[in-house]
Structures are given as structure tokens and as C-alpha cells.
Amino acid sequence: MPDTIYLKDYTPYPFQIENIDLHFELEESRTRVTARSRWQRRSAGPLRLDGQELQLAALRLDGRQLAAADYTVDADTLTIAQVPDAFTLEIETIINPAGNTALEGLYVSGGNFCTQCEAEGFRKITYFPDRPDVMTVYTTTLIAEQSKFPVLLSNGNLVAEGERDDGRHYATWHDPFPKPCYLFALVAGDLDCVEDSFTTRSGRTVALRLYVRSHDLDKTAHAMASLKHAMAWDEEAYGREYDLDIYMIVAVSDFNMGAMENKGLNIFNSRYVLASPDTATDADYVAIEGVIGHEYFHNWSGNRVTCRDWFQLSLKEGFTVLRDQQFTAAMTGSAVPRIDDVRLLRAHQFQEDAGPLAHPVRPASYQEINNFYTLTVYEKGAEVVRMLRTLLGPELFRKGTDLYFSRHDGQAVTTDDFVQAMMDVSGRDLSLFKRWYEQAGTPRITVERRYDAAQGSYTLTLRQSCPPSPGQERKLPFHIPLRAALFDGKGAPLSLRLAGEAAPAGTERVLELTEEEQSYTFVDVKAEPVPSLLRGFSAPVKLALELDDGELAFLMSHDNDSFNRWEAGQQLALRVMLRLIDVLHSDGRPALDGNFSAAFARTLADGTLDPALIAEALTLPAEEYVAEFLAVVDPQAIHVARQYLRRNLGFAHREALLDTWQRLTDDGPYRIDAAAMGQRRLRNLCLGYLVEMGNDEVRSLAMGQLRAGANMTDVMAALTALVHSGAPERSEALAAFHARWHDDALVLDKWFAIQATAPLPGTLEQVKRLAASPDFNLKNPNRVRSLVGSFSARNPVCFHAADGAGYAFLADYVCELNALNPQIASRLLTPLTQWRRYDAARQTLMREQLERIGVLPALSRDVAEVVGKSLK
Ligand code: 7MF
Ligand code: ZN
């Protein structure tokens, strides 16, 4: 059992490091790292450094080689018992980047060297206090064979470069900003560069460089444009200017995560950089802009102000996700991204919050920090900061972020410091609010409505509760901002006056719930209104407001909050699906709900609506979200119900769907603005419904769209529709796609994922065939995610096949990856952790696989923590 690290045990590091000089003699299987650093004592104690998988070649203190008796080394630490109050330390280590399949520390990808140090990868490069509150100034020299590695990069500014007479060359980089070691980066390789520049609002010119392999040069324009948008937006929205003279982004194809905000030298998974209309979908374009923004915004929220310890991870991640969400909303100018974010939160973060790995936004303990880069820390963390903004209002919130940045610039701080800045600018007491950081679980709010016709008053009684989570049996009430509006029978919003107030204050109010139960009475209410609550999803809660079908239909067409308008439709759809599941469970005959079908038709025909919002409205709730409402999840029934509904909506509205598909055909030049993307989204949604019905005529439309190959969005939509509906043309379509794209790894990932997510009987066998094909590569995280990850996390009906074959398949890969890449292994494993949600037979099958993984020899800490906690 791995050790547990506790927040309550935090102690400051007893030394300060003035600066560090790093030398890398880069060779694939044997790289020598020399680290020379200047130290000062802060408090008593031995000098303890972290280090893993390092070969110690030399250790000198103030120029003197230390004797074996002067220090101790074990698998994780180097300890020097006696050091003076100020000293220079010189450490030489030998590492093997080519043998590094965990992709943590220094490794080789596609023949190039690169690094990933967050959270604790720096300790695989040299002995060092690998914790974010130890900050120092880095000077880095890279030495490598010039012909193989013409480009040598590290953080900060280039201060020297030159050739040596042995065929090697060198470059020295200096980063003037003190930083924690998790922000260190280097890259060495054969890369091409596109260059641009940005002038900050104070008039400084920043060189922008994007490094890719030469054949990818034609796919960099969107990433570069996104970077410039992000830099301008952060100045405008948060008053944040960039601080170095150069900003570099490098795309690599083997990367454990999305991207990394290393100071001045971001390293990106190539899927979040490379895009052309031929190879990237609209969703890819939007994701690239968001991730480029996210990493750029970290330069202030993460780098200039960093985390004191890893328990504070959401300090930088929650805040930065909110910032990238605001950026995406500003760039698209629509409610679509908000809807997509909430979909993700409700389908997956709610699951996490209700499972054995549930943890607060600021966890109190962990075994392996890599397991805490979660939807809770990121997405719920962003919701928590968004709630602060809702409570304070945009102006005070901005004052709060200004204060936070100026007060803590150059420091490593806590989520408490962030909330304190908000308290100081607003004068508000937010101590109860901090429970959002401390308590896990999704609060549930029930609503009781009472209209008093005689008094003309309307009372909402709200009650909150939160289920227990591991280590937290009882929860205290949360401070919940609930945006609310009331509509009269004609759909006009009422002016809202609460009992006791002199005058109404607008048509939307933020009700602040801080106790288990609170009532709000609105006066001057002439007739019973329809309430619209939790507008814009103002808090990450489950709202149980039992509106009847008629009221939901009313809000679907009248609510002036686009999010809640969408939400009303989703609730109606959810209700219809849950009724269908009941019918299936009692062997009844399903039927298409007439009211729902009529609402579907009205929305499809609504010419006043943004096509993208129509598409959102006509997308049925995800199977994972429906599962949240069942005591025992029945993946088969959920899938059949959703499929039934899709097919019958397709039959019922065939003409309108076809018309819309034809009407939105766009023969003009390809554009990626929000309007063009919205049209493609709606058009392809129609195609999906049509192909689902399975007749020859619509299938030939899909084949036509596929063959026309206008852009990857339309091609993928057609291919997905054909493959997922089991169309007879699917093999031919897949073969053609493979022939066209087998050389492009990112496009081939899509080809794998489409097949892995097909909700059809033969999918697992097909997935196994694909895993055995030469295109599959266990060492490439994108490929593993596109096949094994897609199958187990995005294909519930096949993964949960009653015979348990899906579970065994996943476990086989977790076992293999445990040795190769523990981070990926542990992430893949998460669907199995949800075993308690299923029937007894599936529970047994899932547990068996967890137990099988649990007894692996050499179980990694990552996998051990997840298995251990889910079997507890
Ligand atoms: C947008 O947070 C949102 C989230 C850590 C790695 C990127 O910048 C990061 C890194 C993980 C999971 C999600 C994201 C990142 C990481 C991410 C990327 C873009 N500090 Br793990
Ligand atoms: Zn981040």
C-alpha cells in the first residue's frame, strides 16, 4: 500500500535556492545532467532532495566531492545530513530518455527530446526538491549532435549558442522569472518553426514561435491565430500582459495529456495544435483555441502566481479552466460552449463525485498526485470560481483577481489566498463558501412552490442536502448562488420583489442559499408564474424542480436564458427516456411521446433560433447522464431507449430533417466561424437522425457527403453515422477513409475511435482486431485513448456487455500499461471504479477484474491507489 500524503502535514522547505545552472549532454539512451545550484538555509534540518530512476555520477558540495558516508540515497531521495548555511551543490546524474515509456521527465518522442515535469517529473531529471513552493531562477544549456537536433529550446530567453568541434552544438537559455521545477522544459530536435509576433498593449513586441515537424507546417495557422486572440483577450478581460520577449509552443505526438504551460515554452499534444479543414473537425478547431488559451492563461494563473503544494492544484486549474471557458464564450459569442461544458460536468464529474474516488476540489490527502488531475479539480473547480464571480458580480470579481495577482505575484499560494482576495475587495464573508473547496459530493436541491392567489405572493422553499463521500459522512450546507427568474403566462419575465423589499430589483435575481432550508417569497405576483431556476447553471448541483411537461415545453420556447431554454428540453427528453426505460423493464410496448415529438418539430422549424442551439436542443441527453437517474444502471436499456427515440424521431420528422439537411448545404468557401460551424452542426445532426432509420436513400446521401470530402467535420459526421448505424456500406467507407488517411496519426486516431464507439454487437471483436493491427501502438497515448479509452469510456452498451468481456479487455490493457505508462493505465481504469452502480452480476465481473489488476507484481502507485480505493 503506497504512503498517503496529507494537506495537514504541510511544512515549508528549510532551504532557499538562489539559482540553478543546468547542463544537458543529450544522448538518447545516456544523457548526462549537471545541476549546479546556490543554496541558503531557512530553518534547521537535513538537506533532502527528491530523485527517481537516476544514476548518480557525482556529488560535490562547495566544490568538494562528497564521500559515501556524507549522504544517503534510496529509490526516492538523496539526503545530506550536514550542510552549511550557504553552499553550492553540484550534482551529475545519468538518465535514459529513450527508455522512458512513462513520458514523465525527459523522454524521446518521434526522435526528438522533450520533457513533461508536472506534477513530479523533474525528479526523474536530477535530484531536487520537487515541490511547487521551491522556486528559483533557471539557466539551461543543451548540448546535442547538430545534424540530428538542430533546434535546442528551453524556458526564457536565448543567451548564447554556438558550435563545438565534435559535431555537437549548444544553446543556453535563461529564464529571469523564478519558477517551480514543474514548469521547467526543454526540447531538442529536428523541427520547423512558424513565426509571428504580438505587440502588447504597453507596446512590447513578443516573438511567437510554433515548432512542428516540417510536414505539419501547413496546419499551424489556426493555433497561431488562437494564441494571438488569447493574448489580446487576457489583456482586455483580466488586464494581464505577457512578460517575456518570446513565447514558444512545441507540438509533440507522444504526450500523456493535453498540453503543458512551461514558462515561455509550452509543450502540446499535437492534437491541440495541428488543424486544417481536411484533417480537423469543427470540434477540434474549438478545442485547439481553448487549449492554446488555457496554457497561455496559465502564465498568470499558475506561473506568475503558483501553487503552494499540490493540494492547491485547483487554484491554478479551476481558475484557468474558467478563464478558458470565458475566452471560448467570447470567441464564439454563443451559449453553445456553456452547454457543452455542463454536459461534460453532469455526465462525468457527477459520476466521479458519487464514486469511490470522490474528493473535494481541494483534496485533503492523496497517494499519487497524478490521479488528482480530475474533472473535480478542473471542471468543478472552474464552477467554484464561476460561483464567486456570480456572487460578487463581474466588476468586483475583476477587482478581486487584480488584487490576487498583484498581492501574490511571484509567490506560491493557496485556494484560501484566492478567496481572501475576493473577501477583501467585496467586504463579504465567504467563509461558508470555502466548503465548496473542502467537501466532496454533488449537492441536491429540492424546490417546493406555493402560489397564494389571495396575497399575490409566490414562495419558493429550497432545501439542500449532499450525499456522503469517502471519509465525509455528513456535510455542512453549501453557499449556493441560484440565479432565478419567473415568467407570466405569456412568457414575459416578472419584475422580482421579495417580501420586505421596497421596490423590485430586475427580472433576474441571485438567490443565495446558505442553510439547509430557506424560503423566498416574491410579492406582487398576479398569477401563478413558471419558475426558471439555476439559470446558466449557476451552481454545480442537481436541481430537483418538478415542472410538468407543459411547463417544460413553455420554458423551451419562452425562457430568455439560452442555457435554461436548452435545459428545459433536456429535462423533457430525460423524462421521456426514463419512461421508455420503465416500459422496457416491464416488457411493455414503447411508443413515441406525442408532446415531445411536437416540441422536437417546433424546435427544428424555429427560424429565429441559432442553428447551433437547435442542434444542442435536438441532441438527446447522454447515456451516462441518464444513468445518473437510475438506482441500478442498466446500460442496455438506456441505450435501447435512446436508440428507439432517435429512430422514431427520425421517422416522424423525416421530411423536416431532410429539408434542413438540404437547406443548410453550404457550397461557399469553407469557414470556421461560429455561424458556419453551427450550420454544419445542425446539418450533421439531421444526417445522424436520418441514417439511424436505416433506409437506402439516406444512406446514399451519407455516402455522397463522405465521398465529397468537403471537410473533416462533414466526413466524420457521415462516417460516424454509417458506422454507428451498422450500415452495409460501413466497411467500404472505413477502408476508403483508411486508404486516404493512414499516414496522418491524428486522423487515424479518429478512425480508431469511430469503430471503438460503435454501439453494435461485433464491436469488441473489431476493437481486438484493431489492437492487433500494425497501426496500433501501446506506447502512443493518443492511440491508446482512441481505441481502448473510447471503447471503455464512450461505449457503455458494449463495454458493459453482460458476459464481462469488455471488462476483461480493459483490464488486459491496464495490466500491460501499468508497466509502460502508469498515468495512462490509471486513467483508463476509471470506468471499472463505478462498479457499485450496476447489477449484482456486473458488479462481480467488474470487481474480479479490479482484483486481478490489484495483485499484479510491481503495481504502480497510480494504479494501486485507484484499485485500492475502488475496492474499499
Ligand atoms: C484545457 O492543466 C483544460 C485542461 C496539466 C495537464 C493541461 O495545463 C494543464 C497542465 C491535464 C488534464 C487537462 C488539462 C491539462 C492537463 C487541460 C488542458 C487544456 N497543467 Br492532466
Ligand atoms: Zn491547466
Side-chain angles (χ1 to χ4, degrees):
M1 198 59 179
D3 290 343
T4 298
I5 323 250
Y6 295 93
L7 167 61
K8 64 176 165 48
D9 293 343
Y10 174 82
T11 47
Y13 194 65
F15 295 90
Q16 194 191 350
I17 307 175
E18 265 168 48
N19 54 56
I20 185 165
D21 217 334
L22 287 165
H23 279 247
F24 290 84
E25 292 167 66
L26 294 164
E27 281 177 39
E28 281 96 335
S29 334
R30 190 184 163 82
T31 287
R32 180 181 300 268
V33 184
T34 308
R36 191 185 150 89
S37 48
R38 184 72 204 153
W39 294 67
Q40 240 137 38
R41 181 183 288 282
R42 280 291 173 82
S43 58
L47 177 66
R48 191 167 292 136
L49 308 177
D50 302 299
Q52 282 172 359
E53 293 163 45
L54 300 172
Q55 182 188 329
L56 182 60
L59 180 58
R60 285 181 288 273
L61 199 142
D62 287 330
R64 179 179 61 88
Q65 176 72 39
L66 289 186
D70 297 336
Y71 65 91
T72 58
V73 191
D74 63 23
D76 306 301
T77 33
L78 165 66
T79 309
I80 308 177
Q82 301 287 330
V83 292
D85 288 345
F87 57 95
T88 300
L89 195 64
E90 210 171 292
I91 306 172
E92 283 180 35
T93 48
I94 310 281
I95 53 180
N96 175 7
N100 181 351
T101 58
L103 313 186
E104 199 182 37
L106 178 66
Y107 64 94
V108 178
S109 167
N112 300 326
F113 288 97
C114 66
T115 53
Q116 173 53 40
C117 293
E118 188 179 4
E120 298 180 335
F122 194 73
R123 64 186 62 189
K124 293 177 155 193
I125 293 174
T126 185
Y127 288 101
F128 194 79
D130 193 353
R131 43 187 283 172
D133 60 343
V134 174
M135 298 161 77
T136 190
V137 173
Y138 286 70
T139 306
T140 305
T141 300
L142 293 79
I143 306 161
E145 200 181 314
Q146 181 150 24
S147 57
K148 277 169 80 176
F149 308 102
V151 172
L152 303 175
L153 311 174
S154 189
N155 317 85
N157 304 309
L158 182 66
V159 292
E161 61 183 331
E163 289 176 16
R164 313 202 336 169
D165 45 21
D166 57 359
R168 296 196 293 176
H169 69 148
Y170 70 92
T172 300
W173 294 80
H174 176 75
D175 178 2
F177 292 95
K179 64 169 174 284
C181 65
Y182 82 86
L183 291 173
F184 170 81
L186 75 76
V187 169
D190 190 359
L191 296 164
D192 263 350
C193 159
V194 281
E195 184 152 2
D196 206 327
S197 71
F198 180 83
T199 305
T200 69
R201 64 174 176 183
S202 70
R204 280 189 319 102
T205 303
V206 181
L208 311 178
R209 295 207 187 116
L210 234 152
Y211 290 89
V212 298
R213 290 171 310 172
S214 60
H215 63 263
D216 289 326
L217 275 175
D218 59 338
K219 302 197 193 77
T220 54
H222 178 63
M224 185 63 90
S226 300
L227 176 58
K228 292 196 277 184
H229 292 152
M231 295 178 85
W233 182 85
D234 211 18
E235 292 186 350
E236 177 64 32
Y238 281 90
R240 299 295 115 199
E241 230 182 276
Y242 187 61
D243 51 13
L244 284 165
D245 298 331
I246 176 169
Y247 193 86
M248 297 177 280
I249 292 176
V250 181
V252 305
S253 43
D254 304 281
F255 206 66
N256 280 347
M257 20 207 237
M260 181 62 209
E261 70 265 23
N262 317 301
K263 183 80 188 188
L265 179 58
N266 289 180
I267 299 182
F268 271 61
N269 187 323
S270 53
R271 67 177 295 198
Y272 293 116
V273 175
L274 304 177
S276 69
D278 273 4
T279 60
T281 62
D282 292 343
D284 293 328
Y285 274 86
V286 173
I288 287 168
E289 185 172 58
V291 178
I292 295 256
H294 181 95
E295 304 311 330
Y296 175 73
F297 303 142
H298 268 316
N299 191 56
W300 275 95
S301 49
N303 301 3
R304 289 288 287 258
V305 182
T306 195
C307 301
R308 185 191 75 173
D309 53 69
W310 291 121
F311 297 103
Q312 319 297 327
L313 180 58
S314 197
L315 173 74
K316 74 176 178 84
E317 296 304 347
F319 185 25
T320 304
V321 170
L322 174 75
R323 278 151 60 65
D324 82 51
Q325 290 176 350
Q326 293 178 304
F327 171 59
T328 301
M331 293 300 111
T332 59
S334 93
V336 168
R338 181 69 184 140
I339 289 171
D340 289 343
D341 289 337
V342 174
R343 254 195 234 282
L344 172 76
L345 191 86
R346 293 206 290 212
H348 297 288
Q349 195 281 325
F350 280 15
Q351 238 179 46
E352 185 170 275
D353 234 351
L357 287 125
H359 53 276
V361 168
R362 187 191 65 195
S365 69
Y366 61 77
Q367 291 167 17
E368 170 53 62
I369 186 57
N370 285 329
N371 287 330
F372 285 78
Y373 285 71
T374 59
L375 290 165
T376 299
V377 165
Y378 277 73
E379 304 298 322
K380 187 178 181 180
E383 296 300 324
V384 169
V385 183
R386 184 184 288 268
M387 285 191 286
L388 283 170
R389 186 170 184 271
T390 302
L391 289 169
L392 266 60
E395 286 84 21
L396 274 178
F397 178 76
R398 169 64 196 273
K399 281 208 174 103
T401 60
D402 284 352
L403 176 63
Y404 167 75
F405 287 128
S406 64
R407 181 185 274 172
H408 299 297
D409 190 6
Q411 299 177 359
V413 303
T414 64
T415 57
D416 284 338
D417 293 317
F418 186 82
V419 177
Q420 188 62 50
M422 296 296 158
M423 291 210 258
D424 290 347
V425 293
S426 65
R428 294 198 49 163
D429 179 5
L430 296 169
S431 43
L432 290 186
F433 185 85
K434 288 188 189 171
R435 289 175 185 160
W436 281 110
Y437 288 98
E438 296 155 4
Q439 298 185 141
T442 307
R444 181 182 144 90
I445 301 178
T446 60
V447 185
E448 213 178 277
R449 314 179 257 163
R450 207 174 54 248
Y451 179 62
D452 184 332
Q455 299 286 319
S457 72
Y458 185 65
T459 303
L460 293 172
T461 300
L462 306 173
R463 292 187 189 85
Q464 60 163 307
S465 62
C466 183
S469 50
Q472 295 183 331
E473 271 312 305
R474 300 190 59 78
K475 309 290 168 78
L476 296 166
F478 291 86
H479 185 170
I480 302 172
L482 209 78
R483 272 192 211 278
L486 302 176
F487 291 94
D488 70 14
K490 295 198 192 66
L494 303 185
S495 287
L496 301 179
R497 179 152 80 96
L498 285 165
E501 289 178 344
T507 54
E508 187 186 80
R509 303 281 294 250
V510 177
L511 306 179
E512 293 191 25
L513 197 54
T514 53
E515 291 160 33
E516 250 168 57
E517 179 180 324
Q518 268 161 288
S519 290
Y520 302 85
T521 298
F522 297 93
V523 295
D524 300 335
V525 183
K526 307 270 185 298
E528 172 145 21
V530 179
S532 165
L533 302 183
L534 200 70
R535 290 155 73 81
F537 198 66
S538 62
V541 300
K542 293 181 180 172
L543 178 71
L545 168 61
E546 296 299 322
L547 297 173
D548 64 36
D549 289 6
E551 289 173 312
L552 288 176
F554 173 87
L555 288 175
M556 271 177 85
S557 44
H558 292 106
D559 202 323
N560 57 359
D561 180 78
S562 334
F563 177 86
N564 264 24
R565 203 167 158 146
W566 168 80
E567 172 65 4
Q570 293 292 297
Q571 280 193 38
L572 196 57
L574 176 67
R575 193 169 288 174
V576 167
M577 285 169 72
L578 291 172
R579 283 183 204 139
L580 275 172
I581 291 168
D582 274 347
V583 170
L584 292 166
H585 280 157
S586 54
D587 289 325
R589 282 265 298 279
L592 180 61
D593 182 294
N595 286 327
F596 180 66
S597 181
F600 185 97
R602 272 199 307 278
T603 306
L604 183 57
D606 189 338
T608 68
L609 275 179
D610 171 7
L613 282 175
I614 298 181
E616 289 284 6
L618 302 186
T619 302
L620 299 177
E623 294 178 18
E624 293 88 341
Y625 183 56
V626 178
E628 284 285 307
F629 296 85
L630 298 179
V632 177
V633 180
D634 181 347
Q636 181 70 27
I638 296 173
H639 178 70
V640 170
R642 194 168 187 275
Q643 208 73 351
Y644 173 88
L645 206 52
R646 278 175 59 77
R647 200 160 289 164
N648 284 279
L649 288 166
F651 279 121
H653 307 292
R654 186 172 184 280
E655 294 311 315
L657 289 163
L658 256 177
D659 278 356
T660 308
W661 182 82
Q662 260 142 9
R663 182 167 53 80
L664 296 178
T665 301
D666 178 4
D667 300 323
Y670 180 76
R671 289 173 305 135
I672 56 150
D673 53 83
M677 288 195 286
Q679 291 207 1
R680 284 192 285 272
R681 189 154 175 167
L682 179 54
R683 182 167 183 267
N684 286 322
L685 175 111
C686 294
L687 186 70
Y689 273 103
L690 290 165
V691 172
E692 191 80 54
M693 298 185 307
N695 76 30
D696 298 351
E697 192 189 332
V698 287
R699 288 205 316 270
S700 78
L701 291 181
M703 279 307 277
Q705 181 168 320
L706 184 68
R707 287 211 191 86
N711 58 73
M712 187 49 82
T713 302
D714 289 344
V715 167
M716 277 290 287
L719 186 62
T720 305
L722 290 165
V723 173
H724 285 196
S725 65
E729 298 87 345
R730 68 185 189 277
S731 308
E732 182 198 338
L734 283 165
F737 189 92
H738 186 270
R740 170 74 184 82
W741 292 113
H742 65 272
D743 282 337
D744 188 315
L746 295 174
V747 182
L748 201 57
D749 286 338
K750 298 180 193 301
W751 183 83
F752 274 93
I754 281 188
Q755 299 179 72
T757 50
L760 302 170
T763 292
L764 178 57
E765 282 58 46
Q766 177 62 5
V767 167
K768 287 180 176 171
R769 274 193 293 277
L770 289 170
S773 82
D775 288 329
F776 188 67
N777 174 6
L778 207 52
K779 291 190 178 163
N780 179 261
N782 286 357
R783 192 54 50 86
V784 169
R785 277 187 285 257
S786 72
L787 187 66
V788 187
S790 298
F791 174 77
S792 37
R794 291 172 46 214
N795 191 347
V797 69
C798 292
F799 176 65
H800 292 283
D803 63 359
Y807 307 147
F809 169 78
L810 173 59
D812 287 347
Y813 280 90
V814 171
C815 291
E816 274 198 69
L817 283 158
N818 171 65
L820 282 175
N821 188 329
Q823 272 184 54
I824 299 295
S826 150
R827 274 182 190 267
L828 277 185
L829 176 55
T830 40
L832 284 174
T833 66
Q834 295 285 329
W835 59 273
R836 282 190 181 80
R837 304 279 291 113
Y838 296 86
D839 57 84
R842 286 190 174 91
Q843 287 198 5
T844 305
L845 292 165
M846 292 172 89
R847 264 206 341 258
E848 272 171 17
Q849 297 304 327
L850 284 168
E851 281 158 5
R852 195 184 127 209
I853 297 165
V855 298
L856 272 184
L859 196 61
S860 63
R861 202 156 44 154
D862 310 57
V863 175
E865 177 173 30
V866 174
V867 171
K869 287 184 175 171
S870 38
L871 286 176
K872 244 216 289 280

